[in-house]
Amino acid sequence: MSRGDCDAEFFKDLWQHDSVKFITRTVFYFAVLVVLLYLYDYSGMTGGTFIYNEF
């Protein structure tokens, strides 16, 4: 068995634990939330006027 097969087997076994799945998904969703907040802040959405204020 090569080193790569051993590593793949290790990670496959590790992924079976519920705590590892929970932590991995939590970190992933937190990263997505941070990116979305950054993009919202970067776009300057608060700088524009509301469309109905001009009628």
Side-chain angles (χ1 to χ4, degrees), residues 27-46:
V27 169
F28 174 74
Y29 290 134
F30 179 74
V32 169
L33 182 64
V34 167
V35 168
L36 289 175
L37 288 173
Y38 173 75
L39 290 175
Y40 179 77
D41 186 47
Y42 181 75
S43 68
M45 293 294 288
T46 57

